[in-house]
Structure formats: C-alpha cells, structure tokens
Amino acid sequence: MNAPAVEIRQVLPAEVLELRQQVLRPMQQLAECVYPGDDDPLAFHGGASIGKALVGVVSIFPEAGPSGIPEPSYRLRGMAVAPASQGQGIGRLLLEAVYAHLDGIGFTGVLWCNARVTAGEFYARMGWERIGEIFELPLIGLHVVMSRRFRHLD
C-alpha cells in the first residue's frame, strides 16, 4: 500500500503555531510560540499536509546571524514535524521548499538556525555546516548553530 501523499504549501504564520508548540515548546502557551520576524513581509512559512492534517511546519525570515554568519542572512526557526509523521521525509520536503523559495527570490547569502543537537546530523545531510560550539537554550535544550550558503544562479 502506498503512503499518503504529502502536500507542501505556503501557509499563514498563525497556521504554524500549534505544531511549534506541540513539538518544540510544549511548556509554553500558544501565544509564546510567535517568533519575532513571523510577520515580516519577507518571511516564508511552509506547511506539510497529509489530507487535511497539517503534519509539518517551517518558517524563515531575514535576521542577522550570530558571529561568523555573514550578511545577508535568513534564519530558519520552528521546523517541526508531528511525532506520528516523523521519519517519513517530511523534514526534507520542508527544507526543499525553503530552498526553492530562496532560489525563487534570487537570495544570495546564508540560511542559518539554532539546531537542536539531536537534529544536527539531519541538517548536515541537507548540506548545512556546524558553526561554533554546542550551547544550551534554557528550558529547551542543547543546540548548535548551523548554516547553509546560497548563491543564486541566473
């Protein structure tokens, strides 16, 4: 039997909040899962749906990176896949949608994130490089800065 089709589409900022909270920040209220930059006109929010269920989300927006990340840069935040849908390639599809969006706008620069240490290998397989040492975000856990360079080809 074939697995159900996953649809990747751009979603509204409000649509990413429930999965952000459920997967990444269950200790916070829904309103606390709104990130600075979510409403930036240059932000992109992607969603992965199976049928009518939103099972994965990702957001990017322009934001200066930490030391070692050159400008211009976009930050990836809040990538989350529902527990029942993890391990099915949905994270890869969401990142590919982000890459396609950045290519589509002609972005030349760096995409970066504070990746959970447990996700570091996933990002590395997707072409990201680790920058710096592991650090802890209080109440959230161990993270490392990861980045991926983009060069738009005409």
Side-chain angles (χ1 to χ4, degrees), residues 10-144:
Q10 187 167 357
V11 298
L12 298 171
E15 293 179 85
V16 304
L17 297 180
E18 189 175 324
L19 269 177
R20 268 188 197 169
Q21 180 194 39
Q22 176 191 354
V23 176
L24 303 174
R25 297 176 180 247
M27 76 298 278
Q28 293 181 330
Q29 298 297 315
L30 200 60
E32 294 175 286
C33 294
V34 175
Y35 298 149
D38 274 345
D39 60 353
D40 188 302
L42 298 176
F44 170 82
H45 304 278
S49 298
I50 298 176
K52 294 184 180 188
L54 189 64
V55 298
V57 296
V58 65
S59 299
I60 62 167
F61 37 80
E63 183 177 322
S67 177
I69 304 281
E71 296 283 339
S73 61
Y74 265 77
R75 182 175 184 182
L76 180 141
R77 280 192 89 178
M79 188 155 101
V81 175
S85 297
Q86 291 177 3
Q88 299 176 26
I90 292 170
R92 178 184 50 79
L93 293 172
L94 288 167
L95 275 185
E96 287 172 353
V98 165
Y99 298 167
H101 174 78
L102 291 173
D103 283 341
I105 64 171
F107 177 67
T108 300
V110 175
L111 177 64
W112 70 278
C113 72
N114 289 332
R116 291 172 190 249
V117 169
T118 55
E121 286 184 28
F122 164 76
Y123 285 104
R125 284 192 309 271
M126 295 295 296
W128 295 59
E129 295 179 10
R130 176 179 159 172
I131 297 176
E133 299 302 316
I134 293 172
F135 62 94
E136 185 167 1
L137 291 174
L139 302 176
I140 299 173
L142 297 177
H143 284 69
V144 64

